[in-house]
Amino acid sequence: MNLILLGAPGAGKGTQAEVICDALHIPSISTGNILRAAVKDGTPMGLKAKSYMESGALVPDEVIIGIVKERLSQDDCRNGFILDGVPRTIAQAQALDEMGVRIDKVIDLEVPDQDIIQRMSGRRVCTGCGASYHIQVKPTAKEGICDRCGAPVAIRKDDEPATVLDRLNAYHQQTEPLIQYYEKAGKLIAVEGVASIEETTKKLFQALGVEG
């Protein structure tokens, strides 16, 4: 099953992607994690993306699509995948279509802006494997340490309040049109994401018609 997760930054896409990945045994492909790794390593692509990410702006389409195309060619994507963080624009969606990437269903996680802001102030991300946590709703077992790989967790620069507002504005202007794009294609599934992680997961699995 080839899936796309849509939703504002902080809507819970990364968390739900991990759950779906484990249930369906398919990889979760987060362009955000790939980009942050490139920035950390100081690669040419990372340096190019860094200024956009730190200001809360969207990374240019040609950078994103290049990353995705390379990733989808790997063997672990043969039986399906979850795209988290791409496409973010109509142009990216059209580029995926032109690449011949088959998308079965597109899930839109719906969360109001005020809830997003509250959530992101407590969000922490593993500096090693990129796993997502929250100091209230999904804390690490040991404070400041990732449950999966043991690396430190930290607040990202793009989770700081001023940057969050910029990212939400960018989302509403550039990414929300994708909802209508995929609705017209008959692939959109809307799932309310304001409940607990477990409740949201249950709704999501019901919408996909799979067992968790």
Side-chain angles (χ1 to χ4, degrees), residues 97-172:
D97 290 342
E98 291 167 4
M99 282 165 51
V101 178
R102 189 192 85 250
I103 301 298
D104 297 312
K105 294 183 180 180
V106 179
I107 302 157
D108 176 36
L109 286 177
E110 300 180 336
V111 182
D113 283 4
Q114 60 267 28
D115 291 346
I116 293 290
I117 294 169
Q118 183 178 6
R119 282 184 182 185
M120 295 181 77
S121 64
R123 191 160 73 169
R124 301 291 182 271
V125 177
C126 177
T127 56
C129 68
S132 298
Y133 299 94
H134 193 282
I135 57 176
Q136 293 178 323
V137 298
K138 190 186 176 186
T140 54
K142 184 178 180 181
E143 186 174 353
I145 300 297
C146 177
D147 295 348
R148 290 193 172 194
C149 72
V153 299
I155 186 169
R156 297 187 337 216
K157 185 177 180 64
D158 52 5
D159 285 339
E160 295 175 357
T163 307
V164 170
L165 290 175
D166 289 339
R167 294 176 70 201
L168 282 172
N169 288 334
Y171 170 77
H172 291 309

Side-chain angles (χ1 to χ4, degrees), residues 8-210:
K13 299 187 300 297
T15 298
Q16 295 301 331
E18 290 177 10
V19 177
I20 298 171
C21 174
D22 291 340
L24 300 183
H25 307 292
I26 57 179
S28 173
I29 300 170
S30 169
T31 52
N33 287 344
I34 296 172
L35 284 169
R36 281 187 287 276
V39 170
K40 183 179 178 181
D41 295 340
T43 67
M45 181 185 68
L47 294 174
K48 185 175 180 181
K50 185 176 181 180
S51 61
Y52 294 93
M53 294 171 66
E54 288 186 343
S55 66
L58 296 177
V59 176
D61 287 351
E62 63 268 20
V63 177
I64 297 294
I65 297 305
I67 294 170
V68 173
K69 185 175 182 180
E70 183 178 75
R71 182 66 181 86
L72 294 183
S73 67
Q74 296 181 16
D75 289 343
D76 63 342
C77 293
R78 288 182 178 179
N79 295 324
F81 53 81
I82 308 164
L83 290 180
D84 170 17
V86 68
R88 285 188 173 179
T89 63
I90 296 293
Q92 288 181 6
Q94 292 171 337
L96 286 175
D97 290 342
E98 291 167 4
M99 282 165 51
V101 178
R102 189 192 85 250
I103 301 298
D104 297 312
K105 294 183 180 180
V106 179
I107 302 157
D108 176 36
L109 286 177
E110 300 180 336
V111 182
D113 283 4
Q114 60 267 28
D115 291 346
I116 293 290
I117 294 169
Q118 183 178 6
R119 282 184 182 185
M120 295 181 77
S121 64
R123 191 160 73 169
R124 301 291 182 271
V125 177
C126 177
T127 56
C129 68
S132 298
Y133 299 94
H134 193 282
I135 57 176
Q136 293 178 323
V137 298
K138 190 186 176 186
T140 54
K142 184 178 180 181
E143 186 174 353
I145 300 297
C146 177
D147 295 348
R148 290 193 172 194
C149 72
V153 299
I155 186 169
R156 297 187 337 216
K157 185 177 180 64
D158 52 5
D159 285 339
E160 295 175 357
T163 307
V164 170
L165 290 175
D166 289 339
R167 294 176 70 201
L168 282 172
N169 288 334
Y171 170 77
H172 291 309
Q173 293 173 12
Q174 301 183 51
T175 306
E176 265 188 344
L178 286 170
I179 295 173
Q180 187 175 14
Y181 180 87
Y182 285 114
E183 190 172 29
K184 285 183 177 180
K187 298 179 179 180
L188 186 75
I189 299 172
V191 176
E192 289 187 2
V194 294
S196 66
I197 293 173
E198 293 77 16
E199 277 298 311
T200 301
T201 299
K202 184 178 179 181
K203 292 178 182 178
L204 197 153
F205 281 162
Q206 288 174 343
L208 290 176
V210 299

